[in-house]
Each structure stands twice: as C-alpha cells, then as structure tokens.
Amino acid sequence: MPEADLVWSPTILDDPEGGRIILWPHLPCVRMSNELRTREHWDGVAFIASSDELEIWIEEEKQDLESPGVHVAAAMASGTTLGRLLDDLKTLDVDGPSIPEPEPLRLLHHAKNARGGLPIFALEPTTEDEMWMEWLTCAADAQVTLSSLIAGISVGRRWKKQRSAAIERVAQSRYVDVELGAAAASSAAWWMEECRGLDEALIAQRATRIVARMRGALAELREGRVDDSDSRGPSLLVPVHQPRLPALAAAFEGWPDVESIVAVTIKE
C-alpha cells in the first residue's frame, strides 16, 4: 500500500540557524475548513509564487467580485490540467472551486492587515533571474518532447488512473470526509500531470531553490526581529499545495544554503 503522504497537518522544520518553517498543506482552489487551517503562530508568510503573481491575485479578486466565477469558467474552458481539476472539484461537495485561490489569498490579506502588517515573501524568482529562467527553459523543453506530446493524447485515461491510485495516499483525518478526500486525490492527479516530463533532477532542483529562498525569508525575519521572548526564533508560514509537500519536505535534507530575499510590497 502506498505511503499516506497526502497529509493535512503542517510539517514544521527547525532551521539550524534559528526559527521555524511551517509548511501548511492545502488543496488548490478549495477553501479549507477552520479545523484544517493551521493554528501555529507565524511572523511572516511566504508564497510559492512570484511577486507579480501576488499582485495578479489581488486583481483577479477584484474581477471575480465584479463577475463571480469568471476565472473558474475561463480555466474550465481552457483544456488545461487545471481545467480538469476544476471539473473534478465541481462535482464534489467541497467549498470550491475558486480562483484566485482562497487560502493563499486569505493569508495574504491577513499578513497585510495583522499587527500593522507582517512580512510577505515571494518564493519564485522573477523573470530577471537567469538561473530561474534557465530552469524554466529546461522544464519547457522536457515537457514538449515527442514522448510527452504522445502521452498528452491519452491524458483523460491517465488522469483517471492517477486519481484512483492517489486515493490510497490520502491521510485520514476526522475533519476530512469522502468528498474532500476525493478532492485531494484529484489534486494529486493534477500535480502529477503538471510535473509530467520533468525528471527527478529537475524536480529536485526546483524544490531545492524554493527551500533555499524559504531559508532566506526566515533569515530576513531573524534580522528584523524585535521581540526575542520566543527562544525558538521567528516562524515563517508557507502554504503549500498538498501534493507538492513531499518533494519540498525532502529538499530540506542537508539544509540547502540560504538564498537571501527580502519582503515584497503588494499594491492594492
């Protein structure tokens, strides 16, 4: 039986230089219940997105208020793997689907408004970052090989198999019913399709870079810390799509070197 690695509780990692990184799993495009939201204290939040994407979330939120469901409808009509995920979620009794994503957006607003504003970090580099652009180019090349294109023809059948196989990977929780468990399986199928064509080296390279930037965000929190009453140091919250969590947690082995980053300012 596969390991139940689609978990609902946060993974908390104590940085050797001080402080904690809280990887909180959530489902894409689904509003999580209060019982499944982390109750851990945090001093800053980091999103697996670029600074440009964070501002796009704010704009999408405004557009969705004017035309409810417009972004979900567009994604469902796109023929992409995200569209397939939204199709699945539509059939389930869950709080969603929603675009922009409700949980990251909720945390973004909370960080902007709580305690006079908490630091916000973007973990994906900008397009001006040469190393990141090189990774994106390699990933794009890997995903447009002939074998990948042929595999894309049978995506419907493969999606169903992946979704079915993922059911055994969903961890049990008293706060998770059959419907939410099915949503987790669909989310896992979506992420497998998103990673199709990428070899282990490319996946590990991306995860290591993101973790290095998490450590950089935590270092920034340590530098700006005023209240030292908590001997554990500051805590950085990182909301993570549930199926991405295993690869990111594995990337902490050996603790990649810190990559310095600074907090971003999000315009309304």
Coordinates of all heavy atoms in Angstrom, one line a residue, residues 164-204:
S164 N -7.3 7.6 -9.2 CA -7.7 6.4 -8.4 C -6.6 5.9 -7.6 O -6.8 5.5 -6.4 CB -8.1 5.3 -9.4 OG -8.5 4.1 -8.7
A165 N -5.3 5.9 -8.1 CA -4.2 5.4 -7.3 C -3.9 6.3 -6.2 O -3.4 5.9 -5.1 CB -3.0 5.3 -8.3
A166 N -4.2 7.6 -6.3 CA -3.9 8.6 -5.3 C -4.8 8.5 -4.0 O -4.4 9.0 -3.0 CB -4.0 10.0 -5.8
I167 N -5.9 7.8 -4.2 CA -6.8 7.7 -3.1 C -6.2 7.1 -1.9 O -6.4 7.5 -0.7 CB -8.1 6.9 -3.5 CG1 -8.9 7.7 -4.5 CG2 -8.9 6.5 -2.3 CD1 -10.1 7.0 -5.1
E168 N -5.3 6.0 -2.1 CA -4.7 5.3 -1.0 C -3.6 6.2 -0.4 O -3.1 5.9 0.7 CB -4.1 4.0 -1.5 CG -5.1 3.0 -1.9 CD -4.5 1.7 -2.3 OE1 -3.2 1.7 -2.4 OE2 -5.2 0.7 -2.5
R169 N -3.2 7.3 -1.0 CA -2.2 8.2 -0.5 C -2.7 9.2 0.4 O -2.0 10.0 1.1 CB -1.4 8.8 -1.6 CG -0.6 7.9 -2.5 CD 0.0 8.6 -3.7 NE 0.7 9.8 -3.3 CZ 0.9 10.9 -4.1 NH1 0.5 10.9 -5.3 NH2 1.6 11.9 -3.6
V170 N -4.1 9.4 0.5 CA -4.7 10.4 1.3 C -4.7 10.0 2.7 O -5.3 9.0 3.1 CB -6.1 10.7 0.8 CG1 -6.8 11.8 1.6 CG2 -6.1 11.1 -0.7
A171 N -4.1 10.8 3.6 CA -4.1 10.5 5.0 C -5.4 10.7 5.6 O -6.2 11.6 5.1 CB -3.0 11.5 5.7
Q172 N -5.7 10.0 6.6 CA -7.0 10.1 7.3 C -7.0 11.3 8.3 O -6.0 11.6 8.9 CB -7.4 8.8 8.0 CG -7.6 7.6 7.1 CD -8.1 6.4 7.8 OE1 -8.1 6.3 9.0 NE2 -8.5 5.4 7.1
S173 N -8.2 11.9 8.5 CA -8.4 12.9 9.5 C -9.8 13.0 9.8 O -10.7 12.8 8.9 CB -7.9 14.3 8.9 OG -8.3 15.3 9.7
R174 N -10.1 13.2 11.0 CA -11.5 13.3 11.4 C -12.2 14.5 10.8 O -13.5 14.6 10.9 CB -11.7 13.3 13.0 CG -11.0 14.5 13.6 CD -11.2 14.5 15.1 NE -10.5 15.6 15.8 CZ -10.7 15.9 17.1 NH1 -11.7 15.4 17.7 NH2 -10.0 16.9 17.6
Y175 N -11.4 15.4 10.3 CA -12.0 16.6 9.7 C -12.1 16.5 8.1 O -12.5 17.4 7.4 CB -11.2 17.8 10.0 CG -11.0 18.1 11.5 CD1 -9.8 18.1 12.1 CD2 -12.1 18.3 12.3 CE1 -9.6 18.3 13.4 CE2 -12.0 18.5 13.6 CZ -10.8 18.5 14.2 OH -10.6 18.7 15.6
V176 N -11.8 15.3 7.6 CA -11.8 15.1 6.2 C -12.8 14.0 5.8 O -12.7 12.8 6.3 CB -10.4 14.7 5.7 CG1 -10.4 14.4 4.2 CG2 -9.4 15.8 6.0
D177 N -13.8 14.3 5.0 CA -14.8 13.4 4.6 C -14.4 12.8 3.3 O -13.4 13.1 2.7 CB -16.2 14.0 4.6 CG -16.3 15.2 3.7 OD1 -15.4 15.4 2.8 OD2 -17.4 15.9 3.7
V178 N -15.3 11.9 2.7 CA -15.0 11.3 1.5 C -14.9 12.3 0.3 O -14.0 12.2 -0.6 CB -16.2 10.3 1.1 CG1 -16.0 9.7 -0.3 CG2 -16.2 9.1 2.1
E179 N -15.7 13.4 0.4 CA -15.7 14.4 -0.7 C -14.3 15.1 -0.7 O -13.7 15.3 -1.8 CB -16.8 15.4 -0.5 CG -18.2 14.7 -0.6 CD -18.5 14.3 -2.0 OE1 -18.5 15.1 -2.9 OE2 -18.8 13.1 -2.2
L180 N -13.9 15.5 0.4 CA -12.6 16.2 0.5 C -11.4 15.3 0.2 O -10.4 15.7 -0.5 CB -12.4 16.9 1.9 CG -11.3 18.0 2.0 CD1 -11.6 19.1 1.0 CD2 -11.2 18.5 3.4
G181 N -11.6 14.0 0.6 CA -10.5 13.1 0.2 C -10.5 12.9 -1.3 O -9.4 12.7 -1.8
A182 N -11.6 12.9 -1.9 CA -11.6 12.7 -3.4 C -11.0 14.0 -4.0 O -10.3 13.9 -5.1 CB -13.1 12.5 -3.9
A183 N -11.3 15.1 -3.4 CA -10.6 16.4 -4.0 C -9.1 16.3 -3.8 O -8.4 16.8 -4.7 CB -11.2 17.6 -3.2
A184 N -8.6 15.7 -2.7 CA -7.2 15.5 -2.6 C -6.6 14.6 -3.6 O -5.5 14.9 -4.2 CB -6.9 15.0 -1.2
A185 N -7.3 13.5 -4.0 CA -6.9 12.6 -5.0 C -6.8 13.3 -6.4 O -5.9 13.1 -7.1 CB -7.8 11.4 -5.0
S186 N -7.8 14.1 -6.6 CA -7.8 14.9 -7.9 C -6.7 15.9 -7.9 O -6.1 16.1 -9.0 CB -9.2 15.6 -8.1 OG -10.2 14.7 -8.3
S187 N -6.4 16.5 -6.8 CA -5.3 17.5 -6.7 C -4.0 16.8 -7.0 O -3.1 17.3 -7.7 CB -5.3 18.1 -5.4 OG -6.5 18.9 -5.2
A188 N -3.8 15.5 -6.5 CA -2.6 14.8 -6.7 C -2.5 14.4 -8.2 O -1.4 14.5 -8.8 CB -2.6 13.5 -5.9
A189 N -3.6 14.1 -8.8 CA -3.5 13.8 -10.3 C -3.1 15.0 -11.1 O -2.3 14.9 -12.0 CB -4.9 13.3 -10.7
W190 N -3.7 16.2 -10.7 CA -3.3 17.4 -11.3 C -1.8 17.7 -11.2 O -1.2 18.1 -12.2 CB -4.1 18.6 -10.7 CG -3.6 19.9 -10.9 CD1 -3.6 20.6 -12.1 CD2 -2.8 20.7 -10.0 NE1 -3.0 21.8 -11.9 CE2 -2.5 21.9 -10.7 CE3 -2.4 20.5 -8.7 CZ2 -1.7 22.9 -10.0 CZ3 -1.7 21.6 -8.0 CH2 -1.4 22.7 -8.7
W191 N -1.3 17.5 -10.0 CA 0.1 17.8 -9.8 C 1.0 16.8 -10.6 O 2.1 17.2 -11.1 CB 0.5 17.9 -8.4 CG 1.9 18.3 -8.1 CD1 3.0 17.7 -7.6 CD2 2.5 19.6 -8.5 NE1 4.1 18.4 -7.6 CE2 3.8 19.6 -8.2 CE3 1.9 20.7 -9.1 CZ2 4.6 20.7 -8.4 CZ3 2.8 21.8 -9.4 CH2 4.1 21.8 -9.0
M192 N 0.6 15.6 -10.7 CA 1.4 14.6 -11.5 C 1.4 15.0 -12.9 O 2.4 14.9 -13.6 CB 0.8 13.2 -11.3 CG 1.2 12.6 -10.0 SD 0.7 10.8 -9.9 CE -1.0 11.0 -9.3
E193 N 0.3 15.5 -13.4 CA 0.2 16.0 -14.8 C 1.1 17.3 -15.0 O 1.8 17.4 -16.0 CB -1.2 16.3 -15.2 CG -2.0 15.0 -15.5 CD -1.4 14.2 -16.6 OE1 -1.1 14.7 -17.7 OE2 -1.3 13.0 -16.4
E194 N 1.1 18.1 -14.0 CA 1.9 19.3 -14.1 C 3.4 19.0 -14.2 O 4.2 19.8 -14.8 CB 1.6 20.2 -12.9 CG 0.3 21.0 -12.9 CD 0.2 22.0 -14.0 OE1 1.0 23.0 -13.9 OE2 -0.6 21.9 -14.9
C195 N 3.8 17.9 -13.5 CA 5.2 17.5 -13.5 C 5.5 16.5 -14.6 O 6.7 16.1 -14.7 CB 5.5 16.9 -12.1 SG 5.4 18.1 -10.7
R196 N 4.6 16.2 -15.4 CA 4.9 15.2 -16.4 C 6.0 15.6 -17.4 O 6.0 16.8 -17.8 CB 3.6 14.8 -17.2 CG 3.8 13.9 -18.4 CD 2.5 13.2 -18.8 NE 2.1 12.3 -17.8 CZ 2.5 11.1 -17.6 NH1 3.4 10.6 -18.4 NH2 2.0 10.3 -16.7
G197 N 6.9 14.8 -17.6 CA 8.1 15.1 -18.5 C 9.3 15.6 -17.7 O 10.4 15.6 -18.3
L198 N 9.1 16.0 -16.5 CA 10.2 16.5 -15.7 C 10.9 15.3 -15.0 O 10.2 14.5 -14.4 CB 9.7 17.5 -14.6 CG 9.0 18.7 -15.1 CD1 8.7 19.6 -13.9 CD2 9.8 19.5 -16.1
D199 N 12.2 15.2 -15.1 CA 12.9 14.1 -14.4 C 13.1 14.5 -13.0 O 12.9 15.6 -12.5 CB 14.2 13.8 -15.1 CG 15.2 14.9 -15.2 OD1 15.1 15.8 -14.4 OD2 16.0 14.9 -16.2
E200 N 13.6 13.5 -12.2 CA 13.8 13.8 -10.8 C 14.8 14.9 -10.5 O 14.7 15.6 -9.5 CB 14.3 12.5 -10.1 CG 13.2 11.4 -10.0 CD 13.7 10.2 -9.3 OE1 14.8 10.2 -8.7 OE2 13.0 9.2 -9.2
A201 N 15.8 15.0 -11.4 CA 16.8 16.1 -11.2 C 16.2 17.5 -11.3 O 16.5 18.4 -10.5 CB 17.9 15.9 -12.2
L202 N 15.3 17.7 -12.3 CA 14.7 19.0 -12.5 C 13.7 19.3 -11.3 O 13.7 20.4 -10.8 CB 13.9 19.0 -13.8 CG 14.7 19.3 -15.1 CD1 13.9 19.1 -16.3 CD2 15.3 20.7 -15.0
I203 N 13.0 18.3 -10.9 CA 12.1 18.5 -9.8 C 12.8 18.8 -8.5 O 12.5 19.7 -7.8 CB 11.2 17.2 -9.6 CG1 10.2 17.0 -10.8 CG2 10.4 17.3 -8.3 CD1 9.5 15.7 -10.8
A204 N 13.9 18.1 -8.3 CA 14.7 18.3 -7.1 C 15.4 19.7 -7.1 O 15.5 20.4 -6.1 CB 15.8 17.2 -6.9

